Each structure stands twice: as C-alpha cells, then as structure tokens.
Amino acid sequence: MILAQAAQVPPESTQQAVGYPSLFLLIVLGALVPVVPTGALVSSAAVVAFHQTAPFALLMVFGVAALAAFLGDLALYWLGQRGMRSKNGSRWLAAIRDRAPEDRLEQAQAKLAAHGVLVLVLSRLVPAGRIPVMLACLMAKMPLREFARGDVPACLAWALTYQLIGILGGSLFEEPWQGVAVAVGLTVLISLAPGLWRRVRRRSTAP
C-alpha cells in the first residue's frame, strides 16, 4: 500500500521533497566549512527549478538559499566570537584566520571602518571575501545582532545573484543538465577569477 502510494508521487514533488532540505543543509555546511561551492549549488538548483512546472520553485530556491546562508553565517560568527573570548581560541576561529590572508584582512578592516556593516553585502558577492570581512568584524568586536543586521541583505543579494546565473544557464538549453553544467562552469570561473588576477598582478610587478 505504501509502495503503491509512493509510486504515484509526481517526479517533481519527489525532487522538491529531497532537493530543498538537501540544498539547505549543504549551504549551511558550506557557510561553516568554506570549501563547499555553495554558489554553484544555488545556480544548479535554480536551473532545475527553472525547468519545473511548479509556480514557486524558483522562489523556494531563493528563500531556502538565503535562509541557509544567513543561519550558517550566524553560526560561524557565533563560534568565532566564542573563540575570541577564549584564552586558547578555538578551532573555528583558527579556521577563519587560516582563510583570511593578511592583505585581504587589512582591506576588510579598512572597508569595515569606512562603511560599517554595509561591507558585509559586498563581502558575500566578492569571491573569497566573506571570511576576511567576518574576521574583521570579529576583531572589531561587532555584536552578533549588528552582524546579523548587515548579513541579511548580504545573503539576499548573494542568493539572488547566483540564482540569476542559474536562470541564465537554464534559459539557454532545453535539458536541465546542460544548464547545470553552464551554471557550475560560470560560478567556478567567478570564484577563480580574483585569485588568478592577483597572481597575474604579482608576476607583472615582480622584479
């Protein structure tokens, strides 16, 4: 009886029932452990949603992505605050520091001093910009509530940007997998571009 009912579930409903919770968990994980390509996840989910008939599929992807990113950021910031208050630090704070090069940290501190929490919006849109700005906020002893206020528009803008990349990829091809491939390629290119540009600049200025 149960198997018969399960067989009658439309494929899209099954994908959504599994896909949205998976997307949420992976983005939260990616916020806590910044090695998961969360931007590519959002773009890929947007491609799939673009090809679905459900009227609110894209809106659901946007909402799930933004909420997961926000909660993941808050959790990491809270863990970082605990590390800052501890005499011996913490592995979370050490992980944040390891992913914040000195030059990027100095830039983040200067921008934070000049623009306040508004810098959080750009930090999520610039590849590898989130962690240096978060560390700058921690070192400035920014309260969690103030960080959260600036992180809300940051996560909304981030989710919208990568969803638009997915919609672009989905609109170019009839098959979802083709759009996913293009979306993932674009997000990887965006994430690698700043690092490549810094290497080119270092080589060009080297004696």
Side-chain angles (χ1 to χ4, degrees):
M1 183 66 177
I2 297 177
L3 292 176
Q5 292 178 347
Q8 296 175 359
V9 177
E12 283 191 11
S13 299
T14 304
Q15 293 174 9
Q16 292 168 6
V18 176
Y20 294 140
S22 299
L23 179 65
F24 180 87
L25 292 175
L26 287 172
I27 291 177
V28 170
L29 176 63
L32 292 172
V33 185
V35 292
V36 178
T38 52
L41 291 173
V42 177
S43 297
S44 300
V47 171
V48 176
F50 180 83
H51 287 278
Q52 290 181 342
T53 58
F56 300 111
L58 285 171
L59 184 60
M60 284 294 296
V61 170
F62 172 75
V64 168
L67 178 61
F70 176 69
L71 294 179
D73 282 356
L74 284 192
L76 184 58
Y77 193 77
W78 178 76
L79 291 168
Q81 281 185 320
R82 292 189 62 185
M84 293 290 290
R85 291 192 292 265
S86 173
K87 293 182 179 180
N88 299 322
S90 70
R91 64 186 183 92
W92 292 101
L93 181 60
I96 294 173
R97 284 176 170 161
D98 289 343
R99 294 188 172 276
E102 192 64 32
D103 57 334
R104 300 294 298 274
L105 176 59
E106 291 177 358
Q107 293 175 7
Q109 289 175 316
K111 291 178 181 178
L112 180 63
H115 305 291
V117 295
L118 291 177
V119 74
L120 288 169
V121 178
L122 290 178
S123 74
R124 263 220 167 256
L125 298 179
V126 175
R130 181 176 70 100
I131 296 301
V133 170
M134 183 178 290
L135 180 57
C137 292
L138 287 169
M139 295 178 69
K141 297 182 179 180
M142 180 182 292
L144 180 62
R145 181 177 299 180
E146 186 177 354
F147 176 84
R149 187 167 62 248
D151 199 50
V152 168
C155 292
L156 292 174
W158 171 82
L160 178 61
T161 299
Y162 282 98
Q163 180 160 340
L164 289 176
I165 293 175
I167 292 174
L168 174 63
S171 64
L172 293 176
F173 302 97
E174 294 183 1
E175 294 295 332
W177 70 266
Q178 295 173 319
V180 169
V182 170
V184 170
L186 285 174
T187 54
V188 170
L189 181 62
I190 291 171
S191 65
L192 293 178
L196 294 174
W197 174 247
R198 287 194 298 271
R199 291 181 182 179
V200 171
R201 289 187 61 183
R202 282 198 298 266
R203 290 180 180 179
S204 61
T205 56

